[in-house]
Amino acid sequence: MIPVAEARARILAGVVPLPAEQVALTEALGRVLAEDVAARLTHPPLAVSAMDGWAVRTADIQALPVELRRIGSAPAGQPFPGTLGPGDAVRIFTGGALPDGADTVVVQEDCDDLGESVRVKDGSGPGRWVRPAGQDFAAGVVGFKAGRRLGVRDLSLAAAMNVPWLKVRRRPRVAILATGDEIVMPGDTLAPGQIVSSNALAIAALVKTLGGEPLDLGIARDEATALSQALDGARGADLLVTCGGASVGEHDLVRKVLGDRGLDLGFWKIAMRPGKPLMFGRLDGMPVLGLPGNPVSSLVCALLFLRPLLLALLGLQAEPRFIRAVAGTDLPANDGREDYLRATLAPGPDGMPVATPFPKQDSGMLSRLAWADGLVLRARHAPAAPAGTVVEVLPLDDV
């Protein structure tokens, strides 16, 4: 058995981000930028008003109140064509271009509209309520760096920068194959001894959440020919994930069938709990990750190994990000396998969260994983630790 960190390092070794593709801005939500994005215009393109009011010259409002001539208006998108001279004022609205000659805006609440003129009762110096040209960004300024996953606010800024198309990383195509005579799809009739398959659906959901494209290869029975035929569906994928069948039982045929097809086995079995029977290798250059058949082990291993691999293919930070918390209960000494305890997280009195593992950590209890907020990491051979000890936790809020 190899340590978790070594297993992850082997999986990530040599991984390069997938090629870029161009997508419309409307299709870019959640995608990862493959190149920097620069503004194609200056915003605002010229000085504009930040409020509804009157565009005036500061020199004309030194002594208040003062009455000024109304010479026009400047709604947004309809600039005033002339120039303000001494004693002139232009009615202006939010977003309207500041007329030539004006250097400040007086809000309408501080004025009396007299029709042909305006009485200014209050005001201030140059630049008041004026948004200067380029206040937000200038043409050519980089708004986003490559490697950013685009969110709602990013799309808004890209649109404002007049960028209709973006270069993003291609979505990783992940072939997912569940194996086992004992599993059936949710909703199917269960024969004696059968169970409902949850692994492939959970892995597909994780792949989709991370920005990948899951390819469901179905359920392969525990028979070499059927398994080999199912694996044909992985052609063209960037990654193959199998669920179950990689252990040492006589019905665990995944390793053998993949080996017959030329699998270059990197490792098999890691020193962790849950998830000891994890397999990794390459088949004609394609990474192959064999997850355990146990649903809890499968999903925990997916978080620790599949997630980093997918992020690396997208050009993102791949290492899992742990947070610090305090143990909400006493922790027993650990053995030679790195342990990941399903736990709840609650606010602590000093700002650090309190992580409380469930009393029973049986890997057959999928409900505990669904209810958990994070996984408390217990290092190999960690000594017993009392409640209040600072621990590392892998949050589950993004899955």
Side-chain angles (χ1 to χ4, degrees):
M1 294 189 294
I2 65 173
V4 170
E6 180 181 343
R8 188 159 50 242
R10 291 194 194 183
I11 290 173
L12 296 177
V15 174
V16 296
L18 292 171
E21 63 182 7
Q22 185 168 271
V23 299
L25 182 60
T26 53
E27 302 299 320
L29 183 63
R31 303 298 296 271
V32 178
L33 282 175
E35 65 180 21
D36 296 351
V37 178
R40 300 176 63 204
L41 47 68
T42 295
H43 181 71
L46 37 73
V48 297
S49 177
M51 299 287 284
D52 291 348
W54 296 83
V56 301
R57 303 181 335 139
T58 303
D60 290 334
I61 58 171
Q62 296 303 301
L64 297 173
V66 63
E67 189 171 326
L68 304 175
R69 293 182 300 275
R70 176 178 186 156
I71 63 171
S73 64
Q78 301 178 44
F80 175 72
T83 300
L84 266 74
D88 291 340
V90 167
R91 182 73 165 108
I92 198 167
F93 299 89
T94 303
L98 193 71
D100 290 341
D103 63 359
T104 191
V105 172
V106 181
V107 295
Q108 60 188 14
E109 292 83 358
D110 294 333
C111 301
D112 292 328
D113 188 345
L114 305 178
E116 296 298 320
S117 63
V118 59
R119 181 182 294 112
V120 179
K121 299 178 292 184
D122 197 3
S124 57
R128 183 61 171 163
W129 303 119
V130 175
R131 294 175 177 146
Q135 181 187 58
D136 197 358
F137 51 80
V141 168
V142 173
F144 311 107
K145 292 285 190 180
R148 182 182 184 91
R149 192 186 290 277
L150 295 165
V152 173
R153 292 171 293 159
D154 301 327
L155 298 189
S156 177
L157 179 55
M161 294 193 305
N162 198 28
V163 178
W165 299 89
L166 294 166
K167 285 287 188 68
V168 296
R169 295 292 172 194
R170 179 171 61 74
R171 295 185 188 276
R173 296 186 291 262
V174 183
I176 304 169
L177 177 64
T179 67
D181 290 336
E182 76 281 10
I183 58 175
V184 299
M185 292 297 294
D188 288 352
T189 301
L190 275 69
Q194 288 188 316
I195 60 174
V196 176
S197 173
S198 63
N199 288 355
L201 279 82
I203 299 307
L206 178 62
V207 168
K208 193 174 295 186
T209 297
L210 295 173
E213 180 183 341
L215 310 172
D216 185 5
L217 302 185
I219 299 174
R221 298 304 166 196
D222 292 324
E223 192 274 320
T225 301
L227 183 56
S228 184
Q229 289 174 346
L231 289 170
D232 289 339
R235 290 195 180 98
D238 300 301
L239 168 65
L240 169 63
V241 177
T242 63
C243 302
S247 192
V248 295
E250 60 187 71
H251 296 288
D252 295 313
L253 302 174
V254 171
R255 273 196 306 148
K256 179 183 183 308
V257 172
L258 284 170
D260 292 342
R261 294 172 70 102
L263 178 71
D264 180 13
L265 183 64
F267 63 82
W268 172 66
K269 292 199 300 186
I270 51 177
M272 68 173 285
R273 180 190 305 106
K276 174 182 170 183
L278 180 85
M279 178 187 70
F280 177 75
R282 291 185 179 274
L283 183 63
D284 297 327
M286 177 180 62
V288 177
L289 187 64
L291 298 175
N294 178 284
V296 173
S297 302
S298 177
L299 197 47
V300 170
C301 284
L303 294 173
L304 293 171
F305 303 106
L306 174 57
R307 183 179 186 273
L309 179 52
L310 286 174
L311 293 180
L313 289 171
L314 289 167
L316 297 172
Q317 164 64 38
E319 288 296 324
R321 290 189 175 96
F322 288 82
I323 63 171
R324 288 161 60 86
V326 295
T329 186
D330 294 342
L331 301 173
N334 195 22
D335 58 17
R337 293 163 64 186
E338 201 166 285
D339 209 350
Y340 291 84
L341 306 174
R342 287 151 283 172
T344 58
L345 291 174
D350 59 354
M352 187 177 290
V354 176
T356 305
F358 291 104
K360 194 169 183 60
Q361 290 286 326
D362 191 289
S363 62
M365 302 175 74
L366 186 57
S367 59
R368 297 295 187 269
L369 183 58
W371 299 338
D373 302 307
L375 301 174
V376 174
L377 169 61
R378 294 288 284 154
R380 301 169 66 187
H381 306 296
T389 300
V390 176
V391 294
E392 288 194 321
V393 179
L394 181 64
L396 299 178
D397 55 354
D398 63 342
V399 289

